[in-house]
Amino acid sequence: MTDRERLLDELRPVAFAIAYRMLGSVSEAEDVVQEALLRVHQALDRGEQIESPPAFVATVTTRLSLNELRSARARRERYVGEWLPEPIITDGDDDPARHAETADSLSLAMLVLLESLSPEQRAVLLLHDVFDYGYAEIAAIVGKSEHNVRQLGTRARRHVEQRRPRFQTTREQRDELAAKFFHAAEQGDLAGLEALLAHDVELAGDGGGKVPALARSLSGRGRVARMVIEWLSRGTRIPGEVRPVEVNGGPGALYLDPQGRLVSVLALDIAGGQIRSISAVVNPDKLAHLGPLGDFKALVESRR
């Protein structure tokens, strides 16, 4: 591996970390990363002296992501049903300390919340609060004054804090709660499951019009608990395996068909000792990057 190849390899995760949080899409993020690394390569070919390659690629990645996000928002307005981010499996993270610091910004619930911000607000919040860039650096990246960038950050932070729980849960508490959730769901224990859910818990499903999914989110612990048991209880679910994994830095599970092919990804958002939201992604277009896919529609029809 040449020095340049090694540099580009080191910059790839830096670029992906920004692009994925900006876009909530693995495929879109990978396209942005590819273009950003190409621009680094071209700059070096021109003999440019790049003082800080990570800062250079962060700047290019953010600007490309802003452009992509503006066009993506129009596509998402035409999206069939609920839109959820493309999930990533974060088991086996090789840098636990760094991962712990940025896990909340990876959660599907947070990525959905970030969708309600303007592209510029999203960029400022992520660069400052997640990646520790100073406001002067961010101003240069997004092409606005430092004063405007500070205002964008303040508005974005206020918006997020109003919708995120004030009291967080430790990793140990979170994992214990998730284990109880999957056990209660598998056993069909309605009362036990309801005890784990926040009173205003929400369940969202993303089928993208490709496979059966909830037409709109369900809310309320009773309704959500009954729906979860319908899909995850051993006595009622369609054939297959529920395999707990870490999804986007938090507890979740893969739903596999009898041949071990992926049909759904489930993610739990836990805070304050309760499960506040459950996200189920079944749109095959959003799962293709995770491996071989099963036919979810055929499985559902086989149960009828």
Side-chain angles (χ1 to χ4, degrees):
M1 184 178 287
T2 66
D3 288 344
R4 182 175 297 187
E5 289 171 337
R6 190 175 295 110
L7 172 63
L8 295 176
D9 196 51
E10 291 171 354
L11 292 177
R12 183 176 296 277
V14 176
F16 185 82
I18 295 172
Y20 177 71
R21 287 170 173 84
M22 281 288 291
L23 301 169
S25 165
V26 173
S27 54
E28 291 171 3
E30 287 178 342
D31 288 343
V32 163
V33 170
Q34 197 67 19
E35 177 63 24
L37 295 180
L38 176 61
R39 295 194 184 187
V40 173
H41 181 75
Q42 291 172 336
L44 293 173
D45 272 351
R46 292 192 298 268
E48 294 182 22
Q49 295 298 313
I50 301 178
E51 185 175 337
S52 172
F56 182 93
V57 82
T59 298
V60 174
T61 300
T62 301
R63 290 174 180 171
L64 290 171
S65 296
L66 283 169
N67 292 337
E68 180 64 28
L69 190 57
R70 292 181 184 112
S71 62
R73 290 170 86 88
R75 293 196 300 275
R76 288 169 196 174
E77 288 174 1
R78 301 189 298 271
Y79 195 78
V80 178
E82 292 276 338
W83 180 92
L84 291 174
E86 293 179 18
I88 56 175
I89 307 306
T90 48
D91 275 351
D93 186 272
D94 58 2
D95 190 352
R98 184 177 184 278
H99 179 61
E101 292 170 1
T102 59
D104 187 57
S105 68
L106 265 183
S107 74
L108 293 192
M110 176 59 81
L111 291 175
V112 168
L113 180 52
L114 292 176
E115 282 288 303
S116 62
L117 302 177
S118 71
E120 290 78 11
Q121 286 177 330
R122 188 166 183 163
V124 172
L125 184 70
L126 289 171
L127 289 174
H128 185 270
D129 290 14
V130 177
F131 298 106
D132 295 324
Y133 280 81
Y135 284 119
E137 295 173 285
I138 299 171
I141 291 173
V142 301
K144 293 185 178 295
S145 71
E146 186 174 341
H147 174 71
N148 284 343
V149 162
R150 287 181 181 275
Q151 287 186 319
L152 286 168
T154 298
R155 294 190 194 109
R157 201 169 297 110
R158 185 185 303 125
H159 181 85
V160 168
E161 288 173 353
Q162 287 174 348
R163 291 160 177 78
R164 290 293 285 169
R166 191 171 301 175
F167 303 105
Q168 297 300 311
T169 301
T170 67
R171 187 183 186 93
E172 291 74 18
Q173 292 171 329
R174 184 202 74 183
D175 291 346
E176 181 181 356
L177 191 62
K180 290 180 178 178
F181 169 87
F182 287 113
H183 178 74
E186 188 169 89
Q187 298 301 314
D189 180 1
L190 181 63
L193 189 59
E194 287 183 344
L196 305 173
L197 305 177
H199 72 91
D200 57 349
V201 62
E202 290 196 354
L203 170 63
D206 181 344
K210 306 290 180 66
V211 296
L214 293 172
R216 59 183 62 85
S217 297
L218 288 181
S219 62
R221 58 164 61 105
R223 298 174 71 198
V224 169
R226 286 190 291 273
M227 180 61 72
V228 168
I229 284 178
E230 169 70 12
W231 284 102
L232 297 185
S233 170
R234 279 188 300 190
T236 60
R237 73 171 182 238
I238 57 180
E241 174 193 359
V242 178
R243 181 182 299 170
V245 295
E246 186 178 274
V247 178
N248 285 70
L254 307 180
Y255 192 94
L256 308 173
D257 72 6
Q259 288 74 45
R261 298 171 301 189
L262 181 64
V263 292
S264 177
V265 172
L266 193 75
L268 307 180
D269 185 49
I270 297 175
Q274 294 181 308
I275 297 170
R276 303 187 61 87
S277 70
I278 304 167
S279 302
V281 181
V282 292
N283 182 346
D285 293 344
K286 294 188 175 184
L287 302 178
H289 63 283
L290 297 176
L293 301 181
D295 189 337
F296 184 70
K297 187 181 295 186
L299 283 173
V300 172
E301 291 174 351
S302 71
R303 195 178 67 165
R304 294 172 179 169

